[in-house]
Amino acid sequence: MTADLLARSGPLQSWTDRFAALPDTVQVVATPHVAMADLRVDPAGPAAADVAGFLGVDLPTAPSTYVETDSVRVIWLGPDEWLVTSPFRAPRALEAGLRDAVAGRGAVVDVSGQRTTLGLAGANARDVLSGGCAIDLHPAVFRRGAAAQTLLGLTGVVLVALDDTATSYEILVRSSFAPYLASWLLDAATEHTPT
Amino acid sequence: MQLITCPYCGPREEAEFHYGGQAHVPHPADPGSLSDEEWAHHLFFRDNPRGPFAERWVHALGCRRWFNAVRDTVSYRFHHIYRLDQARPETP
Ligand SMILES: [Zn+2]
């Protein structure tokens, strides 16, 4: 069976060496294969409560925020739309579990292949982002719990703040734009690279 | 660059938004009964005021939600921004 011989790979697999050469103050790591499901449901309806029961956390209703448990992160995408991500659950299991909870009162679609995940960390992480992102990234307003859909360079991303000190982020980018964003990040990191 | 205040996400750069033309254009109740001329008017004819204009916008690169705005076509100033389920505010 030829299919069994195909190795799992991510869209940024060939970038590993270039990421590894970056300085400590701008660390980039590609994290492929994170399960992601797009959830559409009425936040005030009974389905939202059943989804919250399944996920173990209430759906966030404040724009540009996320909540998380030990196993899932729930990112606000719109007033009736969320992105549920998990590196620990299989995509189909995540989709099936959400679909059972929604029970026809909304929509759940596995979108694991749509985006790939980049980790960006280090003392200059915020400086790098600021060069291509217009939203206010000051940790007083963009900190752990914040997740914004916006432009970074010339591509749309979901930008997730992981800490309160502007030194750790996750960037969710569409897989076909990932090489563009990777080269943009490497270019933006150049000015922070000791010569 | 001009900032536009998405009713959900707050102020974002204009580049994240797309324009959707005149707001509050009702779809004909019975399109089949219209003459070709009346149908063409519904599809293609829009107001083009000098001053406040109620328009549709979409936060295309953010939350991807449509909303309405009253914008001054001379100054580009947004006078009102309101959700689709909110009534059109009084315009000056
Ligand atoms: Zn928005």
Side-chain angles (χ1 to χ4, degrees):
Chain A
M1 294 286 285
T2 316
D4 293 335
L5 300 173
L6 289 174
R8 225 175 163 208
S9 73
L12 297 176
Q13 194 164 32
S14 62
W15 292 74
T16 311
D17 292 347
R18 277 168 280 183
F19 292 157
L22 287 168
D24 287 346
T25 59
V26 187
Q27 286 291 296
V28 177
V29 182
T31 314
H33 317 310
V34 176
M36 301 189 196
D38 189 275
L39 168 70
R40 301 291 303 264
V41 72
D42 175 2
D50 290 343
V51 168
F54 167 72
L55 293 172
V57 65
D58 284 340
L59 298 173
T61 52
S64 306
T65 62
Y66 70 90
V67 297
E68 61 186 352
T69 68
D70 289 342
S71 64
V72 296
R73 183 177 294 152
V74 188
I75 301 169
W76 183 97
L77 292 185
D80 59 359
E81 183 174 11
W82 294 266
L83 186 68
V84 183
T85 72
S86 174
F88 308 110
R89 300 198 188 179
R92 282 187 190 171
L94 181 64
E95 182 191 49
L98 284 167
R99 235 177 229 178
D100 282 349
V102 168
R105 296 164 294 181
V108 178
V109 179
D110 172 25
V111 292
S112 305
Q114 184 186 8
R115 297 182 181 90
T116 194
T117 305
L118 281 160
L120 174 66
N124 290 123
R126 178 182 155 208
D127 303 322
V128 166
L129 292 174
S130 300
C133 183
I135 64 169
D136 187 356
L137 295 174
H138 192 282
V141 289
F142 197 77
R143 57 198 295 167
R144 186 174 174 78
Q149 302 167 88
T150 187
L151 268 176
L152 179 57
L154 295 174
T155 186
V157 297
V158 182
L159 183 62
V160 182
L162 297 182
D163 67 9
D164 294 336
T165 53
T167 54
S168 184
Y169 302 90
E170 266 189 10
I171 307 167
L172 278 54
V173 63
R174 290 190 172 79
S175 294
S176 55
F177 284 82
Y180 160 77
L181 187 65
S183 61
W184 186 90
L185 284 169
L186 288 181
D187 182 61
T190 306
E191 67 177 289
H192 304 293
T193 305
T195 49
Chain B
M1 189 180 290
Q2 180 167 18
L3 296 178
I4 298 174
T5 303
C6 169
Y8 302 104
C9 306
R12 295 292 185 91
E13 282 199 318
E14 179 188 355
E16 294 190 8
F17 297 84
H18 286 173
Y19 180 66
Q22 183 177 353
H24 310 295
V25 178
H27 193 75
D30 183 12
S33 69
L34 299 186
S35 69
D36 285 353
E37 187 180 346
E38 287 168 330
W39 181 240
H41 266 270
H42 167 66
L43 289 182
F44 305 119
F45 282 61
R46 295 290 181 267
D47 297 340
N48 186 23
R50 189 177 192 277
F53 188 34
E55 306 167 326
R56 301 187 304 163
W57 286 82
V58 61
H59 191 188
L61 287 161
C63 63
R64 298 183 297 132
R65 261 55 193 186
W66 286 91
F67 59 92
N68 291 331
V70 176
R71 182 182 64 100
D72 192 305
T73 59
V74 176
S75 64
Y76 272 57
R77 182 162 176 259
F78 282 78
H79 290 293
H80 303 284
I81 289 176
Y82 51 107
R83 298 193 313 261
L84 296 181
D85 60 350
Q86 294 174 316
R88 176 180 179 164
E90 294 296 319
T91 49

